[in-house]
Short mmCIF file of all heavy atoms in Angstrom, two decimals:
data_model
loop_
_atom_site.label_atom_id
_atom_site.label_comp_id
_atom_site.label_asym_id
_atom_site.label_seq_id
_atom_site.Cartn_x
_atom_site.Cartn_y
_atom_site.Cartn_z
N MET A 1 1.88 -5.14 6.09
CA MET A 1 0.89 -4.48 5.38
C MET A 1 -0.47 -4.94 6.01
O MET A 1 -0.76 -6.08 6.21
CB MET A 1 0.84 -4.87 3.88
CG MET A 1 -0.13 -4.22 3.09
SD MET A 1 -0.10 -4.57 1.29
CE MET A 1 1.35 -5.46 0.98
N VAL A 2 -1.31 -3.93 6.27
CA VAL A 2 -2.63 -4.25 6.83
C VAL A 2 -3.54 -4.68 5.71
O VAL A 2 -3.71 -3.96 4.67
CB VAL A 2 -3.26 -3.00 7.48
CG1 VAL A 2 -4.66 -3.31 8.05
CG2 VAL A 2 -2.34 -2.61 8.73
N MET A 3 -4.08 -5.92 5.84
CA MET A 3 -4.99 -6.45 4.78
C MET A 3 -6.44 -6.25 5.13
O MET A 3 -7.24 -6.32 4.30
CB MET A 3 -4.66 -7.96 4.71
CG MET A 3 -3.19 -8.26 4.29
SD MET A 3 -2.67 -7.46 2.71
CE MET A 3 -3.67 -8.26 1.58
N LEU A 12 -2.60 -8.75 9.22
CA LEU A 12 -1.39 -8.29 8.63
C LEU A 12 -0.78 -9.31 7.71
O LEU A 12 -0.98 -10.51 7.84
CB LEU A 12 -0.33 -7.91 9.71
CG LEU A 12 -0.79 -6.96 10.79
CD1 LEU A 12 0.27 -6.76 11.88
CD2 LEU A 12 -1.26 -5.66 10.21
N ARG A 13 0.06 -8.83 6.76
CA ARG A 13 0.76 -9.72 5.81
C ARG A 13 2.12 -9.03 5.58
O ARG A 13 2.18 -7.81 5.44
CB ARG A 13 0.00 -9.86 4.57
CG ARG A 13 0.77 -10.76 3.56
CD ARG A 13 -0.03 -11.01 2.30
NE ARG A 13 -1.06 -11.98 2.70
CZ ARG A 13 -2.10 -12.29 1.98
NH1 ARG A 13 -2.21 -11.79 0.72
NH2 ARG A 13 -3.00 -13.16 2.32
N PRO A 14 3.17 -9.76 5.45
CA PRO A 14 4.50 -9.24 5.15
C PRO A 14 4.40 -8.49 3.77
O PRO A 14 3.64 -8.89 2.90
CB PRO A 14 5.39 -10.38 5.04
CG PRO A 14 4.76 -11.51 5.75
CD PRO A 14 3.32 -11.26 5.62
N LEU A 15 5.24 -7.45 3.63
CA LEU A 15 5.23 -6.72 2.34
C LEU A 15 5.60 -7.61 1.19
O LEU A 15 5.15 -7.38 0.01
CB LEU A 15 6.20 -5.56 2.40
CG LEU A 15 5.77 -4.34 3.39
CD1 LEU A 15 6.95 -3.37 3.44
CD2 LEU A 15 4.51 -3.73 2.91
N SER A 16 6.45 -8.62 1.46
CA SER A 16 6.87 -9.48 0.38
C SER A 16 5.82 -10.61 0.12
O SER A 16 6.11 -11.47 -0.69
CB SER A 16 8.25 -10.09 0.71
OG SER A 16 8.17 -10.77 1.91
N GLY A 17 4.71 -10.55 0.78
CA GLY A 17 3.71 -11.60 0.58
C GLY A 17 3.86 -12.67 1.69
O GLY A 17 4.83 -12.66 2.49
N GLY A 18 2.94 -13.61 1.62
CA GLY A 18 3.05 -14.69 2.65
C GLY A 18 1.78 -14.77 3.44
O GLY A 18 0.75 -14.22 3.11
N ARG A 19 1.87 -15.52 4.48
CA ARG A 19 0.68 -15.79 5.35
C ARG A 19 0.24 -14.58 6.18
O ARG A 19 1.08 -13.87 6.72
CB ARG A 19 1.03 -16.92 6.29
CG ARG A 19 0.18 -18.08 6.15
CD ARG A 19 0.61 -19.16 7.09
NE ARG A 19 -0.52 -19.52 7.90
CZ ARG A 19 -0.72 -20.64 8.46
NH1 ARG A 19 0.29 -21.54 8.39
NH2 ARG A 19 -1.74 -20.94 9.10
N GLU A 20 -1.01 -14.40 6.26
CA GLU A 20 -1.54 -13.33 7.13
C GLU A 20 -1.58 -13.82 8.56
O GLU A 20 -1.58 -14.97 8.87
CB GLU A 20 -2.99 -13.02 6.71
CG GLU A 20 -3.16 -12.26 5.49
CD GLU A 20 -4.58 -11.90 5.15
OE1 GLU A 20 -5.50 -12.12 6.03
OE2 GLU A 20 -4.85 -11.42 4.09
N TRP A 21 -1.56 -12.86 9.49
CA TRP A 21 -1.66 -13.17 10.87
C TRP A 21 -2.50 -12.00 11.54
O TRP A 21 -2.62 -10.92 11.02
CB TRP A 21 -0.34 -13.39 11.60
CG TRP A 21 0.48 -12.16 11.82
CD1 TRP A 21 0.48 -11.34 12.93
CD2 TRP A 21 1.40 -11.51 10.87
NE1 TRP A 21 1.31 -10.28 12.71
CE2 TRP A 21 1.93 -10.39 11.50
CE3 TRP A 21 1.76 -11.85 9.61
CZ2 TRP A 21 2.85 -9.52 10.87
CZ3 TRP A 21 2.78 -11.02 8.99
CH2 TRP A 21 3.26 -9.90 9.63
N LEU A 31 5.56 1.70 9.79
CA LEU A 31 7.02 1.50 9.55
C LEU A 31 7.72 2.81 9.55
O LEU A 31 7.10 3.82 9.13
CB LEU A 31 7.25 0.85 8.13
CG LEU A 31 6.69 -0.56 7.91
CD1 LEU A 31 6.95 -1.00 6.53
CD2 LEU A 31 7.46 -1.56 8.86
N GLU A 35 12.72 1.41 7.59
CA GLU A 35 12.19 0.05 7.49
C GLU A 35 11.43 -0.13 6.13
O GLU A 35 11.58 -1.20 5.52
CB GLU A 35 11.17 -0.20 8.66
CG GLU A 35 11.83 -0.32 9.98
CD GLU A 35 10.92 -0.28 11.14
OE1 GLU A 35 9.78 0.33 11.05
OE2 GLU A 35 11.19 -0.92 12.19
N LEU A 36 10.67 0.90 5.75
CA LEU A 36 9.94 0.82 4.48
C LEU A 36 10.97 0.71 3.26
O LEU A 36 10.78 -0.13 2.40
CB LEU A 36 9.08 2.00 4.26
CG LEU A 36 8.24 2.04 3.00
CD1 LEU A 36 7.30 0.75 2.95
CD2 LEU A 36 7.33 3.27 3.03
N ARG A 38 14.10 -0.46 3.29
CA ARG A 38 14.69 -1.80 3.35
C ARG A 38 13.76 -2.87 2.83
O ARG A 38 14.13 -3.71 2.03
CB ARG A 38 15.09 -2.16 4.78
CG ARG A 38 16.26 -1.41 5.23
CD ARG A 38 16.62 -1.90 6.63
NE ARG A 38 17.77 -1.11 7.09
CZ ARG A 38 18.59 -1.51 8.06
NH1 ARG A 38 18.34 -2.62 8.77
NH2 ARG A 38 19.58 -0.78 8.45
N ALA A 39 12.47 -2.80 3.19
CA ALA A 39 11.49 -3.78 2.73
C ALA A 39 11.26 -3.64 1.21
O ALA A 39 11.28 -4.69 0.47
CB ALA A 39 10.18 -3.60 3.42
N ARG A 40 11.17 -2.41 0.70
CA ARG A 40 11.05 -2.25 -0.76
C ARG A 40 12.27 -2.66 -1.49
O ARG A 40 12.15 -3.20 -2.59
CB ARG A 40 10.70 -0.74 -1.08
CG ARG A 40 9.22 -0.48 -0.59
CD ARG A 40 8.79 0.92 -0.99
NE ARG A 40 7.43 1.09 -0.77
CZ ARG A 40 6.86 2.30 -0.76
NH1 ARG A 40 7.57 3.42 -1.00
NH2 ARG A 40 5.60 2.44 -0.50
N LEU A 41 13.40 -2.42 -0.98
CA LEU A 41 14.63 -2.75 -1.66
C LEU A 41 14.77 -4.31 -1.67
O LEU A 41 15.09 -4.83 -2.72
CB LEU A 41 15.87 -2.18 -0.90
CG LEU A 41 17.22 -2.52 -1.50
CD1 LEU A 41 17.32 -2.09 -2.97
CD2 LEU A 41 18.35 -1.85 -0.68
N ALA A 42 14.45 -4.99 -0.59
CA ALA A 42 14.45 -6.45 -0.55
C ALA A 42 13.51 -7.02 -1.59
O ALA A 42 13.83 -7.99 -2.31
CB ALA A 42 14.15 -6.95 0.87
N GLU A 43 12.34 -6.42 -1.75
CA GLU A 43 11.32 -6.85 -2.67
C GLU A 43 11.82 -6.65 -4.11
O GLU A 43 11.68 -7.56 -4.93
CB GLU A 43 10.03 -6.06 -2.43
CG GLU A 43 8.83 -6.54 -3.28
CD GLU A 43 7.63 -5.72 -2.91
OE1 GLU A 43 7.56 -4.56 -3.18
OE2 GLU A 43 6.66 -6.34 -2.33
N THR A 44 12.44 -5.55 -4.34
CA THR A 44 12.98 -5.24 -5.70
C THR A 44 14.12 -6.21 -6.01
O THR A 44 14.19 -6.68 -7.14
CB THR A 44 13.50 -3.81 -5.77
OG1 THR A 44 12.36 -2.91 -5.55
CG2 THR A 44 14.10 -3.46 -7.13
N ASN A 45 14.98 -6.47 -5.04
CA ASN A 45 16.09 -7.41 -5.30
C ASN A 45 15.55 -8.78 -5.58
O ASN A 45 16.08 -9.52 -6.44
CB ASN A 45 17.00 -7.46 -4.12
CG ASN A 45 17.87 -6.18 -4.00
OD1 ASN A 45 18.08 -5.50 -5.02
ND2 ASN A 45 18.42 -5.92 -2.86
N GLU A 46 14.53 -9.19 -4.85
CA GLU A 46 13.90 -10.56 -5.03
C GLU A 46 13.38 -10.67 -6.50
O GLU A 46 13.57 -11.67 -7.17
CB GLU A 46 12.82 -10.82 -4.04
CG GLU A 46 12.10 -12.10 -4.21
CD GLU A 46 13.01 -13.34 -4.05
OE1 GLU A 46 14.06 -13.25 -3.34
OE2 GLU A 46 12.76 -14.42 -4.70
N ARG A 47 12.65 -9.66 -6.89
CA ARG A 47 12.06 -9.61 -8.26
C ARG A 47 13.20 -9.71 -9.28
O ARG A 47 13.05 -10.42 -10.30
CB ARG A 47 11.21 -8.42 -8.51
CG ARG A 47 9.81 -8.51 -8.02
CD ARG A 47 8.89 -7.50 -8.59
NE ARG A 47 9.46 -6.15 -8.58
CZ ARG A 47 9.30 -5.24 -7.61
NH1 ARG A 47 8.65 -5.52 -6.52
NH2 ARG A 47 9.84 -4.06 -7.73
N ARG A 49 16.24 -11.04 -8.91
CA ARG A 49 16.87 -12.39 -8.94
C ARG A 49 15.93 -13.39 -9.61
O ARG A 49 16.41 -14.16 -10.43
CB ARG A 49 17.16 -12.84 -7.49
CG ARG A 49 18.38 -12.17 -6.82
CD ARG A 49 18.71 -12.86 -5.58
NE ARG A 49 17.67 -12.69 -4.58
CZ ARG A 49 17.64 -11.66 -3.75
NH1 ARG A 49 18.51 -10.69 -3.79
NH2 ARG A 49 16.66 -11.55 -2.83
N THR A 50 14.64 -13.28 -9.33
CA THR A 50 13.68 -14.22 -9.95
C THR A 50 13.67 -13.96 -11.41
O THR A 50 13.67 -14.89 -12.26
CB THR A 50 12.32 -14.00 -9.35
OG1 THR A 50 12.39 -14.20 -7.98
CG2 THR A 50 11.30 -14.99 -9.98
#
Side-chain angles (χ1 to χ4, degrees):
M1 180 176 353
V2 176
M3 300 304 292
L12 306 178
R13 177 174 288 172
L15 291 175
S16 59
R19 237 178 127 156
E20 288 184 6
W21 72 93
L31 293 175
E35 290 169 331
L36 182 57
R38 285 181 183 199
R40 287 184 173 165
L41 181 59
E43 186 176 67
T44 299
N45 286 339
E46 178 63 28
R47 277 196 316 268
R49 283 189 295 272
T50 302

